[in-house]
């Protein structure tokens, strides 16, 4: 099983079943560890809390669940034209900590503070060291101007956050990533809860029951190609067509 045997010294943590969640909350803990985080993803659960406000770790499994099926990805015509002439340089897994820190620091008009506190940054960086978490970077010369990060297990990518310091940086990064993920046999991108930004790309709500069933099917299946190599090919091909 790819999700477990490839990870050394992993001690699985069993959470309450997501279908027992109260208004989406599965559990509340006072610690957040690498093994807890990885176990949560395997069970359709994720952490979302405000460390700066002194909140405990809240573990969620909302109903409905907002997801994007890569085969249903819609690339807007304006963004497609932009990708052919993008002034940016794109990489994958080259600056994970810088990306997640930038996601934590970026100001969002509909949000007071950030859920990406020091504890979250620490455990996601540990998952990156494991080869489970991934980042996509957008560079303007030597400056990081956009990107996204998330966790990939089997044929599922659990998207966490993205940021933009220049126009269309995170959108173009996401578009490249989705195409590469789809080309590698990726089946599901989890976006957790509704956002209008991802709805424009074709993301939609499904029931928690349906999400858990799909997760069970796709977690243990491997991608058909190397995702990082495919990402580079997708980026290169976008500028030659």
């Amino acid at each position: 099983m790819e999700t477990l045997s490839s990870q050394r010294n992993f001690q699985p943590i069993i959470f309450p079943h997501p279908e027992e969640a109260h208004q989406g909350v599965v559990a509340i803990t006072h610690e957040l560890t690498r093994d807890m985080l990885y176990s949560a993803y395997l069970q359709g659960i994720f952490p979302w809390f405000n460390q700066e406000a002194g909140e405990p770790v809240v573990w969620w499994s909302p109903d409905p669940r907002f997801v994007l099926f890569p085969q249903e990805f819609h690339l807007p015509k304006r963004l497609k034209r932009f990708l052919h002439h993008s002034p940016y340089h794109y990489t994958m897994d080259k600056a994970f900590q810088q990306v997640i820190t930038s996601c934590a620091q970026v100001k969002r008009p509909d949000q007071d503070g950030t859920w990406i506190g020091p504890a979250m940054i620490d455990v996601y960086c540990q998952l990156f060291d494991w080869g489970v978490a991934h980042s996509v970077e957008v560079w303007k010369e030597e400056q990081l101007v956009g990107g996204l990060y998330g966790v990939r297990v089997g044929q599922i990518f659990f998207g966490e956050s993205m940021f933009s310091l220049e126009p269309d940086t995170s959108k173009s990064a996401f578009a490249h990533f989705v195409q590469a993920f789809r080309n590698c046999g990726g089946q599901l991108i989890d976006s957790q809860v509704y956002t209008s930004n991802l709805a424009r790309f074709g993301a939609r709500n499904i029931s928690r029951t349906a999400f858990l069933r799909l997760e069970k099917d796709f977690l243990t299946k491997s991608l058909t190609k190397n995702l990082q190599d495919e990402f580079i090919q997708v980026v290169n091909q976008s500028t030659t067509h």
Side-chain angles (χ1 to χ4, degrees):
M1 180 177 177
E2 178 190 358
T3 55
L4 296 179
S5 61
S6 61
Q7 309 306 333
R8 296 180 179 179
N9 302 318
F10 169 60
Q11 299 297 322
I13 308 297
I14 305 301
F15 286 87
H17 195 280
E19 297 287 20
E20 300 174 3
H22 177 65
Q23 296 182 341
V25 177
V26 175
I28 297 176
T29 65
H30 293 285
E31 63 176 343
L32 174 64
T33 68
R34 175 199 63 184
D35 290 0
M36 293 174 71
L37 181 60
Y38 189 60
S39 296
Y41 279 113
L42 300 182
Q43 298 169 65
I45 301 165
F46 59 88
W48 192 13
F49 69 106
N50 190 331
Q51 184 180 5
E52 293 179 347
E55 295 178 358
V57 183
V58 184
W59 301 89
W60 298 82
S61 184
D63 188 15
R65 193 81 168 224
F66 195 56
V67 302
L68 173 65
F69 295 93
Q71 296 78 6
E72 297 180 359
F73 177 69
H74 168 68
L75 180 62
K77 291 182 179 179
R78 190 193 67 80
L79 183 57
K80 185 176 182 179
R81 291 193 298 269
F82 175 84
L83 291 175
H84 292 328
H85 306 284
S86 173
Y88 308 120
H89 174 58
Y90 302 86
T91 58
M92 186 173 176
D93 291 342
K94 297 299 183 182
F96 182 87
Q97 186 168 359
Q98 195 173 350
V99 169
I100 189 173
T101 300
S102 297
C103 286
Q105 295 174 344
V106 69
K107 301 297 183 183
R108 305 177 194 272
D110 58 344
Q111 192 173 293
D112 183 17
T114 179
W115 74 95
I116 311 173
M120 293 278 268
I121 292 174
D122 179 61
V123 292
Y124 277 100
C125 285
Q126 290 181 53
L127 287 190
F128 175 74
D129 292 338
W130 249 5
V132 175
H134 298 279
S135 60
V136 175
E137 301 87 20
V138 188
W139 306 90
K140 185 176 183 180
E141 297 179 349
E142 300 300 319
Q143 181 184 2
L144 183 69
V145 293
L148 61 93
Y149 78 95
V151 172
R152 199 277 300 178
V153 185
Q155 295 177 345
I156 304 178
F157 182 74
F158 302 89
E160 282 300 322
S161 187
M162 58 179 65
F163 80 99
S164 292
L165 300 181
E166 296 277 348
D168 293 321
T169 50
S170 63
K171 291 179 182 178
S172 57
F174 184 68
H176 283 316
F177 176 82
V178 173
Q179 183 176 343
F181 187 60
R182 180 180 58 202
N183 292 352
C184 291
Q187 296 295 321
L188 188 66
I189 296 176
D190 174 36
S191 300
Q192 301 173 348
V193 295
Y194 177 88
T195 66
S196 58
N197 185 35
L198 289 184
R200 298 188 186 98
F201 290 115
R204 57 187 172 93
N205 280 324
I206 63 174
S207 70
R208 178 169 55 208
T209 300
F211 174 81
L212 294 174
R213 184 174 62 250
L214 290 170
E215 184 180 52
K216 183 178 179 180
D217 289 341
F218 297 142
L219 277 180
T220 58
K221 296 178 181 178
S222 301
L223 295 181
T224 57
K225 300 178 183 179
N226 181 280
L227 182 56
Q228 288 87 344
D229 291 346
E230 186 64 24
F231 179 81
I232 294 172
Q233 289 196 29
V234 165
V235 171
N236 291 340
Q237 289 171 358
S238 70
T239 58
T240 58
H241 289 77

